[in-house]
PDB file of all heavy atoms in Angstrom:
ATOM      1  N   ARG A   1      16.545  13.642  -2.295  1.00 87.00           N
ATOM      2  CA  ARG A   1      15.221  14.075  -2.093  1.00 87.00           C
ATOM      3  C   ARG A   1      14.271  12.898  -2.094  1.00 87.00           C
ATOM      4  O   ARG A   1      13.917  12.404  -3.168  1.00 87.00           O
ATOM      5  CB  ARG A   1      14.793  15.194  -3.140  1.00 87.00           C
ATOM      6  CG  ARG A   1      13.519  15.887  -2.763  1.00 87.00           C
ATOM      7  CD  ARG A   1      13.388  17.129  -3.658  1.00 87.00           C
ATOM      8  NE  ARG A   1      12.150  17.870  -3.371  1.00 87.00           N
ATOM      9  CZ  ARG A   1      11.971  18.741  -2.383  1.00 87.00           C
ATOM     10  NH1 ARG A   1      13.031  18.935  -1.562  1.00 87.00           N
ATOM     11  NH2 ARG A   1      10.845  19.382  -2.212  1.00 87.00           N
ATOM     12  N   ALA A   2      13.983  12.420  -0.881  1.00 90.00           N
ATOM     13  CA  ALA A   2      13.236  11.105  -0.791  1.00 90.00           C
ATOM     14  C   ALA A   2      11.789  11.311  -1.229  1.00 90.00           C
ATOM     15  O   ALA A   2      11.278  10.289  -1.858  1.00 90.00           O
ATOM     16  CB  ALA A   2      13.307  10.585   0.663  1.00 90.00           C
ATOM     17  N   LEU A   3      11.169  12.321  -0.944  1.00 94.00           N
ATOM     18  CA  LEU A   3       9.783  12.589  -1.330  1.00 94.00           C
ATOM     19  C   LEU A   3       9.666  14.056  -1.919  1.00 94.00           C
ATOM     20  O   LEU A   3      10.210  14.982  -1.357  1.00 94.00           O
ATOM     21  CB  LEU A   3       8.755  12.478  -0.114  1.00 94.00           C
ATOM     22  CG  LEU A   3       8.679  11.063   0.458  1.00 94.00           C
ATOM     23  CD1 LEU A   3       7.743  11.120   1.645  1.00 94.00           C
ATOM     24  CD2 LEU A   3       8.102  10.036  -0.571  1.00 94.00           C
ATOM     25  N   ASP A   4       8.869  14.132  -2.942  1.00 94.00           N
ATOM     26  CA  ASP A   4       8.815  15.462  -3.667  1.00 94.00           C
ATOM     27  C   ASP A   4       7.410  15.736  -4.059  1.00 94.00           C
ATOM     28  O   ASP A   4       6.885  15.306  -5.081  1.00 94.00           O
ATOM     29  CB  ASP A   4       9.714  15.395  -4.910  1.00 94.00           C
ATOM     30  CG  ASP A   4       9.816  16.766  -5.547  1.00 94.00           C
ATOM     31  OD1 ASP A   4       9.245  17.695  -5.005  1.00 94.00           O
ATOM     32  OD2 ASP A   4      10.491  16.848  -6.641  1.00 94.00           O
ATOM     33  N   GLY A   5       6.635  16.444  -3.077  1.00 95.00           N
ATOM     34  CA  GLY A   5       5.274  16.843  -3.465  1.00 95.00           C
ATOM     35  C   GLY A   5       4.300  15.792  -3.519  1.00 95.00           C
ATOM     36  O   GLY A   5       3.484  15.751  -4.445  1.00 95.00           O
ATOM     37  N   VAL A   6       4.375  14.808  -2.582  1.00 95.00           N
ATOM     38  CA  VAL A   6       3.477  13.583  -2.636  1.00 95.00           C
ATOM     39  C   VAL A   6       2.134  13.939  -1.962  1.00 95.00           C
ATOM     40  O   VAL A   6       2.087  14.474  -0.947  1.00 95.00           O
ATOM     41  CB  VAL A   6       4.165  12.401  -1.924  1.00 95.00           C
ATOM     42  CG1 VAL A   6       3.098  11.251  -1.807  1.00 95.00           C
ATOM     43  CG2 VAL A   6       5.444  11.942  -2.654  1.00 95.00           C
ATOM     44  N   SER A   7       1.086  13.586  -2.715  1.00 96.00           N
ATOM     45  CA  SER A   7      -0.294  13.802  -2.186  1.00 96.00           C
ATOM     46  C   SER A   7      -1.059  12.458  -2.441  1.00 96.00           C
ATOM     47  O   SER A   7      -0.930  11.825  -3.498  1.00 96.00           O
ATOM     48  CB  SER A   7      -1.063  14.924  -2.948  1.00 96.00           C
ATOM     49  OG  SER A   7      -0.417  16.151  -2.738  1.00 96.00           O
ATOM     50  N   LEU A   8      -1.866  12.074  -1.395  1.00 94.00           N
ATOM     51  CA  LEU A   8      -2.750  10.905  -1.635  1.00 94.00           C
ATOM     52  C   LEU A   8      -3.781  10.938  -0.500  1.00 94.00           C
ATOM     53  O   LEU A   8      -3.537  11.604   0.566  1.00 94.00           O
ATOM     54  CB  LEU A   8      -1.950   9.550  -1.569  1.00 94.00           C
ATOM     55  CG  LEU A   8      -1.273   9.122  -0.314  1.00 94.00           C
ATOM     56  CD1 LEU A   8      -2.124   8.414   0.682  1.00 94.00           C
ATOM     57  CD2 LEU A   8      -0.110   8.165  -0.681  1.00 94.00           C
ATOM     58  N   THR A   9      -4.850  10.255  -0.692  1.00 96.00           N
ATOM     59  CA  THR A   9      -5.940  10.166   0.280  1.00 96.00           C
ATOM     60  C   THR A   9      -6.308   8.702   0.463  1.00 96.00           C
ATOM     61  O   THR A   9      -6.163   7.879  -0.333  1.00 96.00           O
ATOM     62  CB  THR A   9      -7.197  10.910  -0.071  1.00 96.00           C
ATOM     63  OG1 THR A   9      -7.735  10.425  -1.413  1.00 96.00           O
ATOM     64  CG2 THR A   9      -6.886  12.419  -0.257  1.00 96.00           C
ATOM     65  N   VAL A  10      -6.783   8.401   1.726  1.00 96.00           N
ATOM     66  CA  VAL A  10      -7.263   7.057   2.140  1.00 96.00           C
ATOM     67  C   VAL A  10      -8.678   7.239   2.627  1.00 96.00           C
ATOM     68  O   VAL A  10      -8.893   7.957   3.593  1.00 96.00           O
ATOM     69  CB  VAL A  10      -6.356   6.381   3.072  1.00 96.00           C
ATOM     70  CG1 VAL A  10      -6.897   4.957   3.483  1.00 96.00           C
ATOM     71  CG2 VAL A  10      -4.960   6.262   2.572  1.00 96.00           C
ATOM     72  N   GLU A  11      -9.663   6.552   2.030  1.00 95.00           N
ATOM     73  CA  GLU A  11     -11.036   6.686   2.334  1.00 95.00           C
ATOM     74  C   GLU A  11     -11.311   5.608   3.564  1.00 95.00           C
ATOM     75  O   GLU A  11     -10.588   4.586   3.608  1.00 95.00           O
ATOM     76  CB  GLU A  11     -11.969   6.406   1.170  1.00 95.00           C
ATOM     77  CG  GLU A  11     -11.647   7.301   0.014  1.00 95.00           C
ATOM     78  CD  GLU A  11     -11.914   8.763   0.417  1.00 95.00           C
ATOM     79  OE1 GLU A  11     -12.922   9.041   1.060  1.00 95.00           O
ATOM     80  OE2 GLU A  11     -11.146   9.619   0.008  1.00 95.00           O
ATOM     81  N   ALA A  12     -12.376   5.817   4.224  1.00 95.00           N
ATOM     82  CA  ALA A  12     -12.833   4.762   5.217  1.00 95.00           C
ATOM     83  C   ALA A  12     -13.231   3.477   4.512  1.00 95.00           C
ATOM     84  O   ALA A  12     -13.889   3.576   3.515  1.00 95.00           O
ATOM     85  CB  ALA A  12     -14.062   5.334   6.012  1.00 95.00           C
ATOM     86  N   GLY A  13     -12.657   2.377   4.931  1.00 95.00           N
ATOM     87  CA  GLY A  13     -13.030   1.073   4.324  1.00 95.00           C
ATOM     88  C   GLY A  13     -12.265   0.833   3.052  1.00 95.00           C
ATOM     89  O   GLY A  13     -12.540  -0.221   2.348  1.00 95.00           O
ATOM     90  N   GLU A  14     -11.362   1.653   2.653  1.00 96.00           N
ATOM     91  CA  GLU A  14     -10.576   1.488   1.402  1.00 96.00           C
ATOM     92  C   GLU A  14      -9.259   0.727   1.619  1.00 96.00           C
ATOM     93  O   GLU A  14      -8.532   0.993   2.716  1.00 96.00           O
ATOM     94  CB  GLU A  14     -10.271   2.855   0.770  1.00 96.00           C
ATOM     95  CG  GLU A  14      -9.462   2.786  -0.516  1.00 96.00           C
ATOM     96  CD  GLU A  14      -9.046   4.113  -1.037  1.00 96.00           C
ATOM     97  OE1 GLU A  14      -8.734   5.016  -0.176  1.00 96.00           O
ATOM     98  OE2 GLU A  14      -9.097   4.330  -2.215  1.00 96.00           O
ATOM     99  N   ILE A  15      -8.913  -0.145   0.765  1.00 96.00           N
ATOM    100  CA  ILE A  15      -7.554  -0.774   0.775  1.00 96.00           C
ATOM    101  C   ILE A  15      -6.737   0.007  -0.347  1.00 96.00           C
ATOM    102  O   ILE A  15      -7.051  -0.216  -1.493  1.00 96.00           O
ATOM    103  CB  ILE A  15      -7.598  -2.266   0.487  1.00 96.00           C
ATOM    104  CG1 ILE A  15      -8.443  -2.985   1.583  1.00 96.00           C
ATOM    105  CG2 ILE A  15      -6.196  -2.875   0.493  1.00 96.00           C
ATOM    106  CD1 ILE A  15      -8.612  -4.440   1.409  1.00 96.00           C
ATOM    107  N   HIS A  16      -5.829   0.800   0.076  1.00 97.00           N
ATOM    108  CA  HIS A  16      -5.047   1.648  -0.843  1.00 97.00           C
ATOM    109  C   HIS A  16      -3.619   1.047  -0.906  1.00 97.00           C
ATOM    110  O   HIS A  16      -2.860   1.168   0.016  1.00 97.00           O
ATOM    111  CB  HIS A  16      -5.014   3.044  -0.357  1.00 97.00           C
ATOM    112  CG  HIS A  16      -4.597   4.049  -1.246  1.00 97.00           C
ATOM    113  ND1 HIS A  16      -5.260   5.311  -1.451  1.00 97.00           N
ATOM    114  CD2 HIS A  16      -3.547   4.134  -2.153  1.00 97.00           C
ATOM    115  CE1 HIS A  16      -4.603   5.960  -2.372  1.00 97.00           C
ATOM    116  NE2 HIS A  16      -3.570   5.342  -2.767  1.00 97.00           N
ATOM    117  N   ALA A  17      -3.270   0.523  -2.018  1.00 96.00           N
ATOM    118  CA  ALA A  17      -1.943  -0.069  -2.251  1.00 96.00           C
ATOM    119  C   ALA A  17      -0.904   1.031  -2.570  1.00 96.00           C
ATOM    120  O   ALA A  17      -1.238   1.894  -3.351  1.00 96.00           O
ATOM    121  CB  ALA A  17      -1.945  -1.115  -3.349  1.00 96.00           C
ATOM    122  N   LEU A  18       0.223   0.969  -1.932  1.00 95.00           N
ATOM    123  CA  LEU A  18       1.313   1.808  -2.290  1.00 95.00           C
ATOM    124  C   LEU A  18       2.462   1.030  -2.807  1.00 95.00           C
ATOM    125  O   LEU A  18       3.049   0.110  -2.050  1.00 95.00           O
ATOM    126  CB  LEU A  18       1.820   2.627  -1.017  1.00 95.00           C
ATOM    127  CG  LEU A  18       2.849   3.605  -1.112  1.00 95.00           C
ATOM    128  CD1 LEU A  18       2.483   4.767  -1.942  1.00 95.00           C
ATOM    129  CD2 LEU A  18       3.306   4.086   0.294  1.00 95.00           C
ATOM    130  N   VAL A  19       2.871   1.237  -4.045  1.00 91.00           N
ATOM    131  CA  VAL A  19       3.856   0.399  -4.696  1.00 91.00           C
ATOM    132  C   VAL A  19       4.923   1.304  -5.379  1.00 91.00           C
ATOM    133  O   VAL A  19       4.729   2.449  -5.567  1.00 91.00           O
ATOM    134  CB  VAL A  19       3.233  -0.480  -5.811  1.00 91.00           C
ATOM    135  CG1 VAL A  19       2.220  -1.422  -5.188  1.00 91.00           C
ATOM    136  CG2 VAL A  19       2.633   0.332  -6.919  1.00 91.00           C
ATOM    137  N   GLY A  20       6.034   0.656  -5.599  1.00 87.00           N
ATOM    138  CA  GLY A  20       7.175   1.389  -6.217  1.00 87.00           C
ATOM    139  C   GLY A  20       8.403   0.523  -6.045  1.00 87.00           C
ATOM    140  O   GLY A  20       8.459  -0.309  -5.144  1.00 87.00           O
ATOM    141  N   GLU A  21       9.412   0.795  -6.841  1.00 77.00           N
ATOM    142  CA  GLU A  21      10.697   0.115  -6.655  1.00 77.00           C
ATOM    143  C   GLU A  21      11.375   0.504  -5.395  1.00 77.00           C
ATOM    144  O   GLU A  21      11.044   1.466  -4.739  1.00 77.00           O
ATOM    145  CB  GLU A  21      11.708   0.455  -7.837  1.00 77.00           C
ATOM    146  CG  GLU A  21      11.108  -0.041  -9.205  1.00 77.00           C
ATOM    147  CD  GLU A  21      12.191   0.119 -10.279  1.00 77.00           C
ATOM    148  OE1 GLU A  21      12.343   1.226 -10.892  1.00 77.00           O
ATOM    149  OE2 GLU A  21      12.946  -0.882 -10.501  1.00 77.00           O
ATOM    150  N   ASN A  22      12.340  -0.277  -4.952  1.00 72.00           N
ATOM    151  CA  ASN A  22      13.203   0.059  -3.812  1.00 72.00           C
ATOM    152  C   ASN A  22      13.834   1.415  -4.024  1.00 72.00           C
ATOM    153  O   ASN A  22      14.345   1.668  -5.151  1.00 72.00           O
ATOM    154  CB  ASN A  22      14.290  -0.932  -3.535  1.00 72.00           C
ATOM    155  CG  ASN A  22      13.719  -2.310  -3.029  1.00 72.00           C
ATOM    156  OD1 ASN A  22      12.744  -2.348  -2.293  1.00 72.00           O
ATOM    157  ND2 ASN A  22      14.336  -3.390  -3.381  1.00 72.00           N
ATOM    158  N   GLY A  23      13.750   2.261  -3.114  1.00 74.00           N
ATOM    159  CA  GLY A  23      14.294   3.610  -3.206  1.00 74.00           C
ATOM    160  C   GLY A  23      13.280   4.628  -3.778  1.00 74.00           C
ATOM    161  O   GLY A  23      13.679   5.754  -3.963  1.00 74.00           O
ATOM    162  N   ALA A  24      12.051   4.158  -3.996  1.00 83.00           N
ATOM    163  CA  ALA A  24      11.073   5.092  -4.567  1.00 83.00           C
ATOM    164  C   ALA A  24      10.454   6.120  -3.529  1.00 83.00           C
ATOM    165  O   ALA A  24       9.946   7.153  -3.913  1.00 83.00           O
ATOM    166  CB  ALA A  24       9.876   4.267  -5.120  1.00 83.00           C
ATOM    167  N   GLY A  25      10.648   5.811  -2.250  1.00 88.00           N
ATOM    168  CA  GLY A  25      10.230   6.686  -1.242  1.00 88.00           C
ATOM    169  C   GLY A  25       9.122   6.114  -0.353  1.00 88.00           C
ATOM    170  O   GLY A  25       8.614   6.820   0.616  1.00 88.00           O
ATOM    171  N   LYS A  26       8.837   4.888  -0.522  1.00 90.00           N
ATOM    172  CA  LYS A  26       7.696   4.245   0.261  1.00 90.00           C
ATOM    173  C   LYS A  26       8.057   4.230   1.749  1.00 90.00           C
ATOM    174  O   LYS A  26       7.153   4.588   2.535  1.00 90.00           O
ATOM    175  CB  LYS A  26       7.508   2.806  -0.217  1.00 90.00           C
ATOM    176  CG  LYS A  26       7.097   2.671  -1.701  1.00 90.00           C
ATOM    177  CD  LYS A  26       6.727   1.303  -2.042  1.00 90.00           C
ATOM    178  CE  LYS A  26       7.800   0.187  -1.767  1.00 90.00           C
ATOM    179  NZ  LYS A  26       9.016   0.389  -2.571  1.00 90.00           N
ATOM    180  N   SER A  27       9.202   3.790   2.099  1.00 88.00           N
ATOM    181  CA  SER A  27       9.586   3.709   3.557  1.00 88.00           C
ATOM    182  C   SER A  27       9.557   5.079   4.219  1.00 88.00           C
ATOM    183  O   SER A  27       9.106   5.266   5.319  1.00 88.00           O
ATOM    184  CB  SER A  27      10.937   3.030   3.716  1.00 88.00           C
ATOM    185  OG  SER A  27      10.922   1.685   3.353  1.00 88.00           O
ATOM    186  N   THR A  28      10.032   6.117   3.513  1.00 92.00           N
ATOM    187  CA  THR A  28      10.064   7.494   4.038  1.00 92.00           C
ATOM    188  C   THR A  28       8.553   7.930   4.292  1.00 92.00           C
ATOM    189  O   THR A  28       8.223   8.537   5.361  1.00 92.00           O
ATOM    190  CB  THR A  28      10.719   8.444   3.175  1.00 92.00           C
ATOM    191  OG1 THR A  28      12.075   8.027   2.975  1.00 92.00           O
ATOM    192  CG2 THR A  28      10.748   9.817   3.636  1.00 92.00           C
ATOM    193  N   LEU A  29       7.725   7.585   3.299  1.00 95.00           N
ATOM    194  CA  LEU A  29       6.285   8.087   3.439  1.00 95.00           C
ATOM    195  C   LEU A  29       5.724   7.349   4.644  1.00 95.00           C
ATOM    196  O   LEU A  29       4.929   7.974   5.393  1.00 95.00           O
ATOM    197  CB  LEU A  29       5.543   7.765   2.105  1.00 95.00           C
ATOM    198  CG  LEU A  29       4.126   8.125   2.052  1.00 95.00           C
ATOM    199  CD1 LEU A  29       3.987   9.643   2.336  1.00 95.00           C
ATOM    200  CD2 LEU A  29       3.504   7.748   0.758  1.00 95.00           C
ATOM    201  N   ILE A  30       5.962   6.102   4.810  1.00 94.00           N
ATOM    202  CA  ILE A  30       5.390   5.347   5.897  1.00 94.00           C
ATOM    203  C   ILE A  30       5.846   5.962   7.226  1.00 94.00           C
ATOM    204  O   ILE A  30       5.139   6.027   8.222  1.00 94.00           O
ATOM    205  CB  ILE A  30       5.751   3.846   5.829  1.00 94.00           C
ATOM    206  CG1 ILE A  30       5.090   3.191   4.621  1.00 94.00           C
ATOM    207  CG2 ILE A  30       5.328   3.103   7.123  1.00 94.00           C
ATOM    208  CD1 ILE A  30       5.499   1.804   4.377  1.00 94.00           C
ATOM    209  N   LYS A  31       7.168   6.315   7.350  1.00 93.00           N
ATOM    210  CA  LYS A  31       7.717   6.804   8.566  1.00 93.00           C
ATOM    211  C   LYS A  31       7.095   8.144   8.921  1.00 93.00           C
ATOM    212  O   LYS A  31       6.938   8.534  10.064  1.00 93.00           O
ATOM    213  CB  LYS A  31       9.216   6.874   8.467  1.00 93.00           C
ATOM    214  CG  LYS A  31       9.790   5.480   8.554  1.00 93.00           C
ATOM    215  CD  LYS A  31      11.306   5.496   8.372  1.00 93.00           C
ATOM    216  CE  LYS A  31      11.908   4.105   8.417  1.00 93.00           C
ATOM    217  NZ  LYS A  31      13.385   4.072   8.140  1.00 93.00           N
ATOM    218  N   ILE A  32       6.738   8.936   7.834  1.00 95.00           N
ATOM    219  CA  ILE A  32       6.095  10.262   8.097  1.00 95.00           C
ATOM    220  C   ILE A  32       4.603   9.947   8.591  1.00 95.00           C
ATOM    221  O   ILE A  32       4.198  10.573   9.574  1.00 95.00           O
ATOM    222  CB  ILE A  32       6.067  11.087   6.805  1.00 95.00           C
ATOM    223  CG1 ILE A  32       7.423  11.628   6.499  1.00 95.00           C
ATOM    224  CG2 ILE A  32       5.010  12.131   6.824  1.00 95.00           C
ATOM    225  CD1 ILE A  32       7.597  12.309   5.151  1.00 95.00           C
ATOM    226  N   LEU A  33       4.015   8.985   8.007  1.00 94.00           N
ATOM    227  CA  LEU A  33       2.614   8.637   8.479  1.00 94.00           C
ATOM    228  C   LEU A  33       2.673   8.170   9.938  1.00 94.00           C
ATOM    229  O   LEU A  33       1.726   8.509  10.691  1.00 94.00           O
ATOM    230  CB  LEU A  33       2.054   7.485   7.570  1.00 94.00           C
ATOM    231  CG  LEU A  33       1.616   7.830   6.205  1.00 94.00           C
ATOM    232  CD1 LEU A  33       1.134   6.581   5.496  1.00 94.00           C
ATOM    233  CD2 LEU A  33       0.477   8.863   6.248  1.00 94.00           C
ATOM    234  N   GLY A  34       3.651   7.444  10.312  1.00 92.00           N
ATOM    235  CA  GLY A  34       3.782   6.955  11.671  1.00 92.00           C
ATOM    236  C   GLY A  34       4.398   7.915  12.640  1.00 92.00           C
ATOM    237  O   GLY A  34       4.475   7.598  13.878  1.00 92.00           O
ATOM    238  N   GLY A  35       4.792   9.130  12.226  1.00 92.00           N
ATOM    239  CA  GLY A  35       5.302  10.093  13.157  1.00 92.00           C
ATOM    240  C   GLY A  35       6.769  10.018  13.355  1.00 92.00           C
ATOM    241  O   GLY A  35       7.336  10.796  14.159  1.00 92.00           O
TER     242      GLY A  35
END
């Protein structure tokens, strides 16, 4: 289960860092954002 109920928002002009260990789900989240 790569992602489990993830919620976040990004505001205009905001730099929003996404961090976590390898395997935390960052790459899966990015691929969902990119379609």
Side-chain angles (χ1 to χ4, degrees):
R1 192 164 181 80
L3 295 176
D4 188 2
V6 171
S7 298
L8 64 84
T9 60
V10 179
E11 306 295 318
E14 178 186 40
I15 301 175
H16 194 134
L18 182 65
V19 300
E21 294 189 276
N22 288 329
K26 302 188 302 296
S27 294
T28 301
L29 183 57
I30 293 171
K31 288 174 182 176
I32 286 174
L33 287 177

